[in-house]
Amino acid sequence: QVKLVESGGGSVQSGGSLRLSCVSSGNTDGLYSMAWFRRVPGKEREGVAAININNRIAYGDSAKGRFTITREYVRNTLYLQMDNLRPEDTAAYYCASVDLTLESGLLQADWYKYWGQGTQVTVFS
């Protein structure tokens, strides 16, 4: 079993930055792909950024040029550095993982098996 715990959310002014963290525990050896998704009530879940064991990275359109995903294997931690935040980035952000090496499906939520509880990000103007 795998447990994912996100942290780092909060409230920030437009243009500011936040860094989200996701610590994984349990059987983490096979977490070949990890990702960040976000959800706004009333809207579909959106893939933000993802990375696989080969360091292939994918970003959703809203994240390109502003967000950076990294993974620190020694600490079993996934990060999402979010810069130049906008009010439309306000959402609950979720960490996800799967024991598959995803390629074209990195930002497709249906592929992911394990999910965290989420951390809220609020950006005010």
Side-chain angles (χ1 to χ4, degrees):
Q1 192 66 16
V2 173
K3 183 177 181 181
L4 304 175
V5 179
E6 303 97 334
S7 63
S11 296
V12 64
Q13 193 167 18
S14 181
S17 298
L18 284 173
R19 187 175 80 155
L20 304 184
S21 299
C22 170
V23 178
S24 55
S25 60
N27 186 15
T28 61
D29 287 345
L31 299 182
Y32 298 137
S33 300
M34 297 194 74
W36 290 98
F37 291 85
R38 67 186 185 186
R39 173 170 271 169
V40 175
K43 293 188 177 180
E44 288 190 9
R45 183 167 43 190
E46 177 187 1
V48 178
I51 184 169
N52 73 12
I53 194 83
N54 297 322
N55 271 337
R56 179 183 174 115
I57 291 175
Y59 291 103
D61 288 342
S62 62
K64 290 176 182 176
R66 299 187 300 127
F67 296 180
T68 304
I69 187 171
T70 55
R71 184 174 181 180
E72 192 171 357
Y73 288 89
V74 172
R75 295 179 184 271
N76 288 327
T77 304
L78 181 74
Y79 300 100
L80 184 67
Q81 177 66 39
M82 303 188 294
D83 298 318
N84 192 20
L85 283 161
R86 305 164 180 165
E88 53 264 41
D89 294 318
T90 295
Y93 284 72
Y94 297 89
C95 174
S97 67
V98 66
D99 51 357
L100 296 171
T101 305
L102 300 176
E103 296 288 342
S104 60
L106 269 171
L107 289 177
Q108 295 177 15
D110 288 346
W111 283 109
Y112 288 86
K113 183 176 181 180
Y114 304 105
W115 292 83
Q117 295 288 83
T119 185
Q120 178 66 34
V121 171
T122 302
V123 185
F124 56 93
S125 55

